[in-house]
Amino acid sequence: MKIITQNLKNGSTELTNIPCPSPNTGKFCCGPQKTLISAGTERMLVEFGKANLLEKALQQPDKVKMVLSKLRTDGLQATVETVLNKLDAPPH
Protein backbone atom coordinates (compact mmCIF):
# COMPACT_ATOMS: atom_id res chain seq x y z
CA MET A 1 0.00 0.00 0.00
CA LYS A 2 1.33 3.47 -0.78
CA ILE A 3 0.86 6.59 1.32
CA ILE A 4 1.99 10.17 0.93
CA THR A 5 3.99 11.46 3.89
CA GLN A 6 4.93 15.05 4.58
CA ASN A 7 7.69 16.27 6.86
CA LEU A 8 6.58 19.31 8.87
CA LYS A 9 10.20 20.25 9.61
CA ASN A 10 11.27 20.80 6.01
CA GLY A 11 8.15 20.49 3.84
CA SER A 12 9.35 17.43 1.91
CA THR A 13 6.72 15.10 0.46
CA GLU A 14 7.36 11.42 -0.22
CA LEU A 15 5.44 8.47 -1.60
CA THR A 16 6.06 5.60 0.83
CA ASN A 17 5.26 1.89 0.66
CA ILE A 18 3.78 0.48 3.86
CA PRO A 19 2.35 -2.97 4.59
CA CYS A 20 -1.41 -3.37 4.34
CA PRO A 21 -3.05 -3.65 7.76
CA SER A 22 -4.10 -7.16 8.79
CA PRO A 23 -7.73 -7.56 9.78
CA ASN A 24 -8.58 -8.92 13.23
CA THR A 25 -10.42 -12.22 13.60
CA GLY A 26 -13.98 -11.96 12.33
CA LYS A 27 -13.24 -8.75 10.41
CA PHE A 28 -12.11 -7.95 6.94
CA CYS A 29 -10.06 -5.15 5.43
CA CYS A 30 -10.99 -3.36 2.24
CA GLY A 31 -8.86 -0.52 0.95
CA PRO A 32 -9.57 2.26 -1.49
CA GLN A 33 -8.79 1.69 -5.14
CA LYS A 34 -8.36 5.41 -5.81
CA THR A 35 -7.97 8.47 -3.68
CA LEU A 36 -7.80 12.23 -4.08
CA ILE A 37 -5.27 14.72 -2.84
CA SER A 38 -6.45 18.15 -1.77
CA ALA A 39 -3.97 20.42 -3.51
CA GLY A 40 -4.79 23.36 -1.23
CA THR A 41 -4.30 21.40 1.99
CA GLU A 42 -1.15 19.70 0.75
CA ARG A 43 0.32 23.01 -0.46
CA MET A 44 -0.43 24.59 2.94
CA LEU A 45 1.39 21.73 4.71
CA VAL A 46 4.39 21.98 2.36
CA GLU A 47 4.61 25.76 2.90
CA PHE A 48 4.29 25.26 6.66
CA GLY A 49 7.07 22.67 6.58
CA LYS A 50 9.39 24.98 4.64
CA ALA A 51 8.84 27.85 7.10
CA ASN A 52 11.36 28.48 9.87
CA LEU A 53 10.30 28.16 13.52
CA LEU A 54 9.41 31.86 13.81
CA GLU A 55 7.22 31.71 10.69
CA LYS A 56 5.58 28.52 12.01
CA ALA A 57 4.84 30.31 15.29
CA LEU A 58 3.34 33.30 13.48
CA GLN A 59 1.11 30.98 11.44
CA GLN A 60 -0.24 29.26 14.57
CA PRO A 61 -0.53 31.69 17.50
CA ASP A 62 -2.81 29.28 19.38
CA LYS A 63 0.00 26.69 19.37
CA VAL A 64 2.41 29.32 20.73
CA LYS A 65 0.12 29.77 23.73
CA MET A 66 0.12 26.00 24.29
CA VAL A 67 3.93 25.89 24.07
CA LEU A 68 4.30 28.76 26.55
CA SER A 69 1.91 27.03 28.94
CA LYS A 70 3.85 23.77 28.66
CA LEU A 71 7.09 25.68 29.20
CA ARG A 72 5.76 27.06 32.49
CA THR A 73 4.54 23.68 33.73
CA ASP A 74 7.09 21.21 32.30
CA GLY A 75 10.26 23.23 31.77
CA LEU A 76 12.43 24.00 28.76
CA GLN A 77 13.86 20.56 27.94
CA ALA A 78 10.52 18.72 28.00
CA THR A 79 8.87 21.48 25.96
CA VAL A 80 11.58 21.49 23.28
CA GLU A 81 11.46 17.69 23.03
CA THR A 82 7.67 17.74 22.67
CA VAL A 83 7.73 20.43 19.97
CA LEU A 84 10.46 18.66 17.98
CA ASN A 85 8.64 15.31 18.27
CA LYS A 86 5.42 16.95 17.07
CA LEU A 87 7.22 18.37 14.04
CA ASP A 88 8.62 14.89 13.29
CA ALA A 89 5.18 13.26 13.47
CA PRO A 90 3.13 12.94 10.27
CA PRO A 91 0.23 15.38 10.03
CA HIS A 92 -3.24 14.05 10.79
Side-chain angles (χ1 to χ4, degrees):
M1 181 165 88
K2 295 183 181 195
I3 62 168
I4 294 176
T5 57
Q6 292 181 299
N7 184 315
L8 292 180
K9 277 189 176 176
N10 61 24
S12 66
T13 304
E14 295 179 5
L15 186 61
T16 307
N17 285 315
I18 63 168
C20 290
S22 300
N24 295 332
T25 304
K27 298 181 180 180
F28 70 95
C29 182
C30 61
Q33 296 299 312
K34 295 180 182 177
T35 186
L36 296 174
I37 296 174
S38 169
T41 301
E42 305 310 319
R43 183 179 62 244
M44 186 244 346
L45 289 172
V46 168
E47 289 172 359
F48 179 79
K50 289 181 179 179
N52 63 39
L53 286 176
L54 178 59
E55 292 167 336
K56 284 178 170 82
L58 292 172
Q59 290 178 25
Q60 297 187 333
D62 55 317
K63 303 282 187 193
V64 173
K65 290 178 185 176
M66 292 171 62
V67 168
L68 293 175
S69 175
K70 181 165 185 63
L71 184 61
R72 284 190 291 275
T73 60
D74 298 354
L76 180 62
Q77 183 176 354
T79 302
V80 169
E81 288 174 6
T82 300
V83 169
L84 294 178
N85 287 336
K86 182 70 173 171
L87 290 174
D88 282 336
H92 304 346

